Amino acid sequence: MAAWWGSWVVGACGSRSQNEGDERGERAGTFGGYLSELGRSPQRAQQVLLTRYEGHLVDSNRAAREVRFEPNAPEELPNGFKRSGIYVLKMPCCTCTQTLYTDSAGDTIAIFEHPGEQQDWFGSRPTVMAQCHGKQTSLVQVRDQLAATWKCGRRYLTVVGARDIEQVGEIVAFLDQHGQANTTEDGAT
């Protein structure tokens, strides 16, 4: 996988102002630390985000009130991952949700839901664009795991901690289906 991975690099977005560039660099640094730490110590990785972005644990109803949408946070994901918590994070780009899932082996998957694509979260890591169950998806390799971002309804979802492209595809299909089931009468999800 590594041989083809590096050959499909997509360029990073340019910044419009020094302030915006500083914010993007800060987000990339903080999120980069999170990505690097997640595989080694999910608890320490989580603490990085909670401390930096005033993150706090909430139930799904409170999350919906704080972010003004119903999070796409089902109780379970495919392959035995169960929801262990929903957090609200106040990032410079937006206030978003992060839902953590763990399986019986202790592996962790995090799902972030945010209003816009956040390419700068991955810093200078190479990005591959792929079709996952019909969705244009950005993929980034972080050690032996993947992070992926795609548009789901009106928002973007970012999964961190997937073991391979097959698991990313399963999660994309599952969350897209779940998001459609949660669509409200006015069409918002």
Side-chain angles (χ1 to χ4, degrees):
M1 182 157 108
W4 66 266
W5 190 264
S7 65
W8 289 87
V9 177
V10 176
C13 295
S15 60
R16 286 176 232 150
S17 70
Q18 182 62 39
N19 234 6
E20 185 177 306
D22 291 345
E23 283 182 7
R24 285 181 178 198
E26 181 275 327
R27 283 193 308 260
T30 300
F31 207 74
Y34 173 78
L35 293 171
S36 296
E37 196 62 39
L38 187 64
R40 291 186 296 238
S41 174
Q43 295 81 13
R44 198 167 36 220
Q46 185 63 15
Q47 201 55 46
V48 167
L49 291 184
L50 296 180
T51 300
R52 181 66 183 107
Y53 298 125
E54 302 175 38
H56 53 281
L57 182 65
V58 295
D59 63 27
S60 58
N61 291 328
R62 182 161 174 203
R65 284 192 307 272
E66 288 191 35
V67 297
R68 297 191 175 115
F69 60 80
E70 184 179 341
N72 192 343
E75 290 288 330
E76 295 184 19
L77 293 178
N79 299 310
F81 281 86
K82 297 187 184 320
R83 188 173 71 196
S84 56
I86 301 173
Y87 296 83
V88 171
L89 303 171
K90 294 179 181 175
M91 302 178 97
C93 59
C94 60
T95 298
C96 67
T97 60
Q98 177 207 36
T99 306
L100 293 179
Y101 294 89
T102 54
D103 67 4
S104 60
D107 292 330
T108 299
I109 289 179
I111 308 287
F112 295 85
E113 189 167 0
H114 37 96
E117 192 170 12
Q118 302 300 322
Q119 292 178 344
D120 57 320
W121 282 4
F122 303 116
S124 62
R125 287 180 172 89
T127 301
V128 174
M129 299 304 294
Q131 288 288 319
C132 291
H133 287 274
K135 295 288 186 172
Q136 185 72 7
T137 306
S138 299
L139 299 166
V140 176
Q141 188 167 9
V142 183
R143 298 184 199 274
D144 59 345
Q145 297 179 328
L146 293 176
T149 300
W150 71 99
K151 191 166 186 181
C152 181
R154 294 182 177 184
R155 288 176 297 284
Y156 286 83
L157 297 178
T158 298
V159 59
V160 177
R163 70 178 172 277
D164 55 33
I165 191 70
E166 289 80 17
Q167 188 175 38
V168 169
E170 290 171 352
I171 292 170
V172 169
F174 184 81
L175 290 176
D176 275 357
Q177 182 178 8
H178 183 264
Q180 290 173 4
N182 282 344
T183 301
T184 61
E185 289 179 16
D186 69 353
T189 56

